Amino acid sequence: MKKILLHLALVAVIFSCGATENRLQDDTKVNVKPNNYWQQHVNYTMEIDMDVNSYQYNGVQKLVYTNNSPDVLNRVYYHLYFNAFQPGSEMDVRSRTIQDPDPRVGDRISKLAPNEIGFIKVNSLKQNGTTISYETVGTVLEVKLNKPIQTGEKVTFDMVFNAQVPKQIRRSGRDNKEGVSLSMTQWYPKMAEYDFEGWHADPYIGREFHSVWGDFDIKLTIDKNYVVGGTGYLQGEEKAKKGKKTLHFKAPKVHDFTWAADPDFIHDTFQVPNGPLLNFYYKKDLEQKYIDNWKKLQPATAQLMTFFSENVGKYPYDQYSVIQGGDGGMEYAMSTLITGQRSYGSLLGVTAHELAHTWFQFLLATNEAKHEWMDEGFTSYISSLAMNALREEKSENPLAGSYRGYLALANSGVEQPLTTHADRYTYNQAYGAAAYSKGAVFIAQLGYVIGEENLKQTLKKYFADFAFKHPKPLDIVRTAERITDFELDWYLIDFAQTTNTIDYAVKSVEENTITLERIGLMPMPLDISVTYTDGSKEDFYIPLQMMRGEKPTSATIIDDWAWAMPTYSFSATKTVKTIEIDASQMMADINRENNTFTTN
């Protein structure tokens, strides 16, 4: 088992790091009018007073919550993420009991002293001016309402809270390993998401987030010497009083608000042509080689921003910030936190990945706990293409690493289906290979199934239809169906909802008759390359019958293959020398040794 896990760790491309048109999330195709879609809305107004010496802060929060659901709500829930960083928390215990803990966490939480732990303590909470009862349960605040929230009703919650920034362990906290003072992510009491599936008040155990869309108005009072960057647009800075300054930020149409601060930040800007202003925050006491890398990163980030805007959809905000902080790389609203003491290649790579998350997670806000592969996998796919576009020497298959990672997982014996909740994987490394590698293969292989041009149109249409929403797995597949008029539910079912594998083989070649065999359970259309004894070549395309269509191809299209038939035979036009299934290697066949055949 250790060898399997080590193999997965080496080959998987693992970085540090709502809803449909209200239709059923299964293979039944229900076409409901888009105006049946709904999602909740929040407006946050907060005043925060940070003490950079004690790492504690006081907060006053006004939250206007709009119930756009058809349901009457009797309770609401808030996330209190910083409570995870306490000995005995679920994050702590899970890290100490899983067989392959994240080395950044390990048993570190269990060793935190009282002045190093994280916490968010709610001191008072009112609903429309009336005090209501609540209980803190780990990282979740359970709130019982005095009066139910009716459909279409707006309710104002007023909260007073205080908090302590934990010693930096996972993503968030103070004094990270590179000396950044404050990495403030998931730092405030955050309303849980409610959608057609109900409440998503998951405890914070190890994975990522799902949040309500809304608008933020934040006034942050902090030591006057600290440089602050993150989400939102700076509205102004009040004159310093008693050694502190107050910064006023607004962030429209976001589902998160993140900031980082340090007294030794350099702040550079770079304007993307016809795009947003890029901000770069990094420590001035870095070695010169790292400072040079941060300078070099800036025009490259502009190129990445342009690539993503052109190939997925236009970036809709006026700014984006790349900030040294955190524990590796993690995406947030209009910003990312990344560690900065890296080689240039590593710095560019992590920036490409986290910036790509702006599209595949931040703007297409899937529930990362349930559909992490749509977040990490699609991001890995598009960032691999972007990195390849920036290279002088292009890779023939920039997704080769993702395919290797998935194939190792599929052959490991520890794979779980992509329907697995992100916190419920048996092994962290299996989660990583599933989310990043198999998720990337899902979208890349969809291009093999429907054709690359159709995939490009699908991605753009998917973004246009579901930006600022919470798309589900069926949404990407139904978008592809609308572009192509194919039937593709089988693809979602087999690749994302099971651990069925693809394995096709050349069984025999007798004279000019070629016989193929389906060994794996997952069906696929097939690209076949034949070389004849006279040196000429011919490509064949075998459509999958249940797909009800054929991708655009210059190959000779022959009869459909019905999935239940274990073998398929067809006649070549000349004497065959060699035959190969999927010469492009964009089909994730788990055993390529039986994909080729050479006659005697």
Side-chain angles (χ1 to χ4, degrees):
M1 183 62 67
K2 288 184 178 179
K3 289 183 179 179
I4 291 172
L5 293 176
L6 179 59
H7 186 47
L8 286 177
L10 291 173
V11 299
V13 183
I14 300 176
F15 294 83
S16 59
C17 332
T20 67
E21 296 167 0
N22 202 29
R23 56 182 176 267
L24 302 177
Q25 295 303 305
D26 58 15
D27 59 328
T28 305
K29 295 174 184 173
V30 181
N31 207 356
V32 180
K33 292 180 180 179
N35 60 10
N36 286 340
Y37 174 83
W38 57 266
Q39 65 187 27
Q40 308 294 63
H41 188 271
V42 289
N43 281 338
Y44 287 93
T45 302
M46 288 188 277
E47 295 184 2
I48 307 298
D49 189 351
M50 168 64 72
D51 184 334
V52 297
N53 296 311
S54 67
Y55 297 103
Q56 293 188 357
Y57 54 102
N58 297 315
V60 176
Q61 180 189 92
K62 177 181 179 181
L63 191 158
V64 179
Y65 184 81
T66 304
N67 180 18
N68 292 316
S69 82
D71 305 320
V72 175
L73 303 180
N74 297 309
R75 300 174 68 88
V76 299
Y77 300 88
Y78 288 78
H79 295 285
L80 306 174
Y81 288 109
F82 272 8
N83 289 357
F85 301 101
Q86 300 175 9
S89 70
E90 288 190 76
M91 180 183 283
D92 171 37
V93 173
R94 176 62 169 164
S95 182
R96 290 187 287 112
T97 55
I98 195 170
Q99 295 192 51
D100 61 333
D102 186 324
R104 291 167 296 191
V105 181
D107 63 352
R108 292 175 63 203
I109 295 176
S110 68
K111 298 176 180 178
L112 292 177
N115 67 339
E116 296 174 328
I117 67 169
F119 63 73
I120 299 177
K121 296 179 179 179
V122 177
N123 301 316
S124 68
L125 182 60
K126 295 180 179 180
Q127 174 190 353
N128 290 338
T130 302
T131 299
I132 52 179
S133 61
Y134 55 87
E135 181 181 3
T136 298
V137 181
T139 60
V140 175
L141 186 76
E142 300 176 350
V143 181
K144 186 176 181 180
L145 302 175
N146 286 339
K147 184 179 179 181
I149 307 175
Q150 302 297 318
T151 298
E153 183 181 2
K154 290 182 184 289
V155 172
T156 299
F157 294 102
D158 290 291
M159 179 188 291
V160 176
F161 68 95
N162 67 292
Q164 179 169 284
V165 185
K167 184 177 180 181
Q168 201 285 323
I169 288 179
R170 189 68 186 99
R171 299 193 177 106
S172 195
R174 62 177 175 86
D175 298 330
N176 82 342
K177 66 180 182 180
E178 295 181 348
V180 175
S181 182
L182 292 168
S183 298
M184 299 297 288
T185 71
Q186 312 300 338
W187 55 273
Y188 57 93
K190 188 175 185 179
M191 182 66 73
E193 179 64 279
Y194 182 87
D195 61 23
F196 76 99
E197 296 176 319
W199 284 104
H200 297 276
D202 292 357
Y204 185 29
I205 295 175
R207 299 301 173 206
E208 299 177 16
F209 313 102
H210 186 41
S211 308
V212 191
W213 285 99
D215 303 313
F216 288 73
D217 187 321
I218 310 292
K219 288 184 177 179
L220 169 64
T221 300
I222 193 170
D223 185 286
K224 66 178 182 179
N225 295 317
Y226 275 59
V227 178
V228 179
T231 305
Y233 309 124
L234 182 62
Q235 304 298 299
E237 178 178 325
E238 295 180 11
K239 190 174 182 180
K241 298 177 182 178
K242 297 181 180 179
K244 286 188 171 184
K245 62 185 177 182
T246 298
L247 306 174
H248 184 194
F249 295 94
K250 287 188 177 182
K253 296 186 70 174
V254 295
H255 55 84
D256 190 17
F257 191 98
T258 291
W259 57 279
D262 192 275
D264 295 323
F265 269 156
I266 295 173
H267 177 201
D268 292 339
T269 61
F270 192 98
Q271 182 65 53
V272 179
N274 301 311
L277 181 69
L278 300 178
N279 299 280
F280 298 86
Y281 298 87
Y282 54 96
K283 297 272 285 184
K284 65 184 179 183
D285 59 358
L286 288 173
E287 292 181 44
Q288 187 60 46
K289 63 179 180 180
Y290 296 131
I291 290 178
D292 292 344
N293 290 342
W294 277 85
K295 298 290 186 183
K296 188 178 177 182
L297 176 68
Q298 295 170 26
T301 304
Q303 291 178 275
L304 291 168
M305 177 68 75
T306 300
F307 182 93
F308 298 138
S309 288
E310 290 177 350
N311 288 277
V312 184
K314 186 173 176 58
Y315 182 78
Y317 304 106
D318 294 332
Q319 71 97 2
Y320 186 86
S321 298
V322 181
I323 308 171
Q324 185 183 358
D327 66 342
M330 181 64 192
E331 73 279 4
Y332 300 102
M334 303 186 203
S335 62
T336 181
L337 299 187
I338 61 174
T339 47
Q341 295 176 4
R342 299 169 175 265
S343 68
Y344 176 69
S346 176
L347 190 67
L348 179 61
V350 72
T351 301
H353 184 86
E354 304 309 335
L355 176 58
H357 269 304
T358 290
W359 285 262
F360 295 115
Q361 167 47 23
F362 191 75
L363 292 166
L364 293 161
T366 56
N367 182 344
E368 297 177 279
K370 295 185 65 177
H371 313 299
E372 65 280 357
W373 58 276
M374 295 180 69
D375 164 31
E376 298 296 354
F378 292 13
T379 291
S380 296
Y381 166 80
I382 201 69
S383 61
S384 293
L385 296 186
M387 287 288 288
N388 198 51
L390 266 61
R391 294 189 185 102
E392 292 185 7
E393 296 185 11
K394 311 298 184 191
S395 170
E396 187 173 342
N397 180 7
L399 278 302
S402 293
Y403 277 80
R404 287 193 298 271
Y406 162 65
L407 295 176
L409 175 67
N411 287 296
S412 69
V414 299
E415 182 184 9
Q416 295 171 250
L418 293 180
T419 52
T420 304
H421 189 285
D423 286 328
R424 309 283 204 266
Y425 281 83
T426 304
Y427 299 97
N428 274 324
Q429 291 170 14
Y431 158 82
Y436 292 79
S437 298
K438 189 174 184 180
V441 171
F442 179 95
I443 199 72
Q445 185 175 244
L446 182 60
Y448 167 86
V449 171
I450 68 175
E452 286 300 320
E453 287 303 315
N454 282 332
L455 178 61
K456 290 178 181 178
Q457 292 182 49
T458 294
L459 288 177
K460 291 182 178 181
K461 178 65 173 171
Y462 176 57
F463 179 81
D465 288 351
F466 293 100
F468 299 101
K469 296 185 177 69
H470 297 294
K472 298 288 194 293
L474 187 59
D475 294 317
I476 184 66
V477 170
R478 289 291 288 127
T479 301
E481 288 183 332
R482 293 186 179 100
I483 292 294
T484 62
D485 209 24
F486 298 162
E487 183 171 340
L488 297 168
D489 55 348
W490 58 272
Y491 184 68
L492 176 64
I493 291 167
D494 277 76
F495 204 68
Q497 298 174 358
T498 75
T499 55
N500 291 345
T501 56
I502 302 163
D503 187 8
Y504 283 89
V506 182
K507 186 174 184 180
S508 65
V509 178
E510 298 180 3
E511 296 183 351
N512 291 358
T513 300
I514 299 169
T515 299
L516 308 177
E517 181 179 15
R518 177 186 54 76
I519 300 171
L521 284 173
M522 181 169 172
M524 286 291 281
L526 296 183
D527 292 339
I528 308 296
S529 301
V530 176
T531 301
Y532 297 117
T533 54
D534 65 3
S536 62
K537 298 181 179 180
E538 187 172 7
D539 294 329
F540 295 88
Y541 174 64
I542 305 175
L544 178 65
Q545 189 177 88
M546 68 175 69
M547 186 169 141
R548 313 299 174 194
E550 302 86 30
K551 71 178 178 181
T553 180
S554 60
T556 301
I557 301 175
I558 52 181
D559 291 340
D560 293 357
W561 187 340
W563 170 81
M565 308 305 178
T567 61
Y568 177 102
S569 297
F570 70 99
S571 296
T573 56
K574 302 177 186 178
T575 304
V576 175
K577 180 180 180 182
T578 62
I579 178 172
E580 182 176 7
I581 300 172
D582 179 33
S584 71
Q585 300 191 19
M586 294 302 288
M587 184 176 75
D589 193 306
I590 65 166
N591 179 17
R592 297 204 62 85
E593 292 184 2
N594 58 21
N595 284 29
T596 57
F597 188 96
T598 301
T599 59
N600 295 326

